[in-house]
Amino acid sequence: TMTGAPILGLSLTFKVKDHMGEIGQTNYYWDFGDGTVLETTSNQVTHTYNTVDFHTIRLVAENPEYELATTTAIVRILPF
């Protein structure tokens, strides 16, 4: 899920339901489509876009057994 207004310079919060964490810690690899990548063990992150554009967000989740789940979404950042 995404919360926050997709407006230039404002923070957006992205949260993933953690189904893979049932067998241990899940690693998340976020690519926000603007050159920013993030590796974390938290299923919730905050990101601020500094360009007005369409951005493709890619997320890969990996559990301790090296099973992967991936998803993508497109967010449009507005100037106001």
Side-chain angles (χ1 to χ4, degrees):
T1 60
M2 180 185 83
T3 56
I7 296 176
L8 183 68
L10 296 183
S11 293
L12 297 174
T13 300
F14 300 92
K15 185 173 183 179
V16 178
K17 223 176 213 184
D18 187 6
H19 295 290
M20 297 180 73
E22 298 168 359
I23 58 173
Q25 180 176 297
T26 302
N27 293 314
Y28 298 95
Y29 306 93
W30 298 85
D31 181 340
F32 295 99
D34 63 352
T36 303
V37 294
L38 177 65
E39 180 180 342
T40 183
T41 56
S42 174
N43 67 329
Q44 181 172 314
V45 297
T46 301
H47 183 68
T48 302
Y49 285 94
N50 295 314
T51 56
V52 174
D53 205 347
F54 289 90
H55 299 280
T56 301
I57 302 163
R58 292 179 181 86
L59 171 64
V60 176
E62 177 184 39
N63 69 17
E65 295 180 356
Y66 302 104
E67 297 171 322
L68 301 176
T70 62
T71 190
T72 60
I74 296 174
V75 62
R76 181 181 182 193
I77 302 302
L78 303 172
F80 52 87

